[in-house]
Amino acid sequence: MEGDSDRVYVVLTTKHHEGFTNWGSPVSWNWNSMDTGPHRDLVGELGEALRESNLRYGLYHSLMEWFNPLYLADKQSEFKTQTFILKKMMPELYDLVLKYKPDLIWSDGDWEAPDSYWNSTSFLAWLYNDSPVKDTVVVNDRWGRGCSCRHGGFYNCADKYRPGTLPDHKWEMCSSLDRLSWGYRSNMSLAEVMDEMSMIEELVQTVSLGGNYLLNVGPTKEGVIAPIFQERLLALGRWLDTNGEAIYESQPWRVQMENTTDTVWYTSKGPVVFAIFLLWPRDSVLHLSSPIPSPDTQVTLLGFAGTLQWQKHPGEGMLITLPYMLPSPLPPQSGWTVKLEGVSCVGVELLQKGRTMCV
């Protein structure tokens, strides 16, 4: 994904529900990555490496802790006390922001208590008004029971959430290469790992509906990403090397999906429309019913040189003649992109930064 690093962010789990912190938390004595285990500041080291590569850095942080006696005591009081918040959770959250200055905070573990227990509004007011990242940071929507999909810089709504239609708020689809777990499992089988086609389908559908795609990998206890996960991530990177023009900095088009099939999805950049088709048509002729072609319309296939022949469909849309593909004993890849320039607009929507979108 070279050349697109500023549009990519990496999120590290600084602390999950069991309470172990991957940095030297001052309020998690002997239960952190400096005092035990690797004896290293994993949050700090990864942050330095990412920023050297010009990648955005996000920090996942669980508000709750399953086994912490302070939290369990607050829970026993029906969250009328806030001992855990004042002595453990908030000091750590402030420490993360002040020490590592994240670009994104991915909050989780909020569902058992309201935002008033977590002191979410007080923290967010400080974050956006007085913190060292107040002008750049973004957050998700997990800051208290009932907050999800209602309040937040961007919405997660639920794990692996897929909206049926174009949302009116920025959102993120959070998925995992291991279909059954977010953390590493030594007993994971190959059938339980997302294949290349599934990754590309999720990415394309998410971006067509205006979302960001966050793909989770659970490393081993030694901090190693399993070879099968490496293979999947590299495959997705190769696909983006060819088709990234239709993904990065794109906007939803007036139509997100062809009304005749769920295997053709659209994105756009200004007047340019991209049609991403997940299955190669048997006769190598792609029918797109949604674009309105004009005499000046030009069609190209990303990754292939030259323009493609097309003609108006007798009903609506256009028929595009795709390049001949040599037969191969290998399984076909998933996802190709045709770039449409000069299609007619039925309206023009003004976007931020002076850009326009052909709709």
Side-chain angles (χ1 to χ4, degrees):
M1 293 180 282
E2 183 179 354
D4 298 295
S5 57
D6 194 48
R7 296 183 281 276
V8 178
Y9 56 92
V10 176
V11 179
L12 173 70
T13 299
T14 65
K15 183 193 76 171
H16 203 250
H17 309 324
E18 86 294 328
F20 185 89
T21 68
N22 281 316
W23 84 102
S25 166
V27 289
S28 188
W29 180 80
N30 211 37
W31 191 230
N32 65 76
S33 64
M34 292 291 290
D35 290 342
T36 188
H39 297 283
R40 293 166 62 180
D41 178 5
L42 304 180
V43 177
E45 288 185 33
L46 181 61
E48 290 178 7
L50 292 174
R51 283 172 170 144
E52 286 177 3
S53 300
N54 197 31
L55 294 170
R56 302 289 184 175
Y57 193 24
L59 300 181
Y60 168 104
H61 173 267
S62 172
L63 301 181
M64 73 180 306
E65 292 183 21
W66 281 326
F67 313 115
N68 192 301
L70 299 179
Y71 178 72
L72 295 176
D74 285 351
K75 185 176 179 179
Q76 184 68 29
S77 76
E78 297 182 342
F79 300 111
K80 293 183 176 65
T81 60
Q82 292 182 299
T83 307
F84 171 72
I85 303 301
L86 299 176
K87 292 188 175 181
K88 181 65 162 63
M89 192 210 81
M90 272 302 167
E92 285 186 338
L93 203 46
Y94 278 90
D95 188 51
L96 282 171
V97 174
L98 293 172
K99 188 174 292 183
Y100 303 110
K101 300 176 179 58
D103 300 299
L104 181 153
I105 297 178
W106 213 102
S107 182
D108 195 19
D110 64 325
W111 61 85
E112 290 191 340
D115 64 276
S116 56
Y117 169 72
W118 302 116
N119 282 354
S120 297
T121 53
S122 174
F123 170 75
L124 292 171
W126 169 81
L127 184 70
Y128 282 123
N129 289 283
D130 299 309
S131 80
V133 292
K134 60 186 176 68
D135 297 322
T136 56
V137 71
V138 294
V139 302
N140 67 338
D141 58 353
R142 301 184 183 186
W143 296 96
R145 186 173 57 222
C147 181
S148 183
C149 226
R150 296 178 59 198
H151 304 288
F154 63 91
Y155 292 167
N156 293 120
C157 296
D159 291 344
K160 304 182 181 182
Y161 172 71
R162 297 190 186 201
T165 57
L166 181 66
D168 58 5
H169 191 92
K170 189 63 182 178
W171 67 285
E172 175 194 78
M173 200 277 197
C174 181
S175 190
S176 182
L177 280 177
D178 182 347
R179 297 180 187 271
L180 302 185
S181 176
W182 300 95
Y184 175 76
R185 295 186 301 133
S186 60
N187 62 344
M188 179 187 69
S189 70
L190 184 61
E192 294 164 343
V193 181
M194 287 180 64
D195 57 26
E196 182 178 346
M197 179 178 291
S198 299
M199 287 189 307
I200 293 171
E201 287 179 359
E202 279 193 348
L203 171 65
V204 169
Q205 293 170 13
T206 298
V207 174
S208 294
L209 290 169
N212 289 357
Y213 188 51
L214 185 66
L215 186 57
N216 176 80
V217 173
T220 68
K221 63 183 179 180
E222 294 84 12
V224 175
I225 295 178
I228 185 62
F229 293 157
Q230 295 183 39
E231 189 278 332
R232 294 293 191 266
L233 295 175
L234 290 170
L236 187 59
R238 287 191 297 270
W239 188 86
L240 285 166
D241 283 341
T242 299
N243 298 279
E245 185 182 353
I247 300 295
Y248 296 116
E249 295 187 328
S250 66
Q251 298 282 343
W253 193 43
R254 62 173 172 85
V255 175
Q256 290 78 59
M257 179 184 71
E258 275 287 77
N259 57 17
T260 56
T261 176
D262 63 355
T263 63
V264 179
W265 295 79
Y266 291 98
T267 63
S268 67
K269 283 184 185 177
V272 178
V273 177
F274 299 94
I276 306 171
F277 54 105
L278 301 175
L279 295 176
W280 190 274
R282 289 189 176 183
D283 57 1
S284 292
V285 176
L286 179 65
H287 175 208
L288 301 178
S289 61
S290 299
I292 304 172
S294 71
D296 298 326
T297 296
Q298 282 199 337
V299 181
T300 54
L301 182 68
L302 297 188
F304 286 79
T307 58
L308 303 183
Q309 297 296 314
W310 66 271
Q311 62 186 51
K312 281 190 175 183
H313 188 270
E316 59 180 358
M318 54 197 303
L319 296 170
I320 300 171
T321 303
L322 299 172
Y324 175 71
M325 302 287 282
L326 289 173
S328 171
L330 300 175
Q333 73 170 71
S334 178
W336 301 263
T337 304
V338 287
K339 179 179 180 180
L340 309 175
E341 299 175 271
V343 292
S344 297
C345 291
V346 295
V348 173
E349 179 179 337
L350 294 177
L351 300 176
Q352 294 179 350
K353 299 181 181 178
R355 292 180 295 178
T356 60
M357 178 173 68
C358 180
V359 297

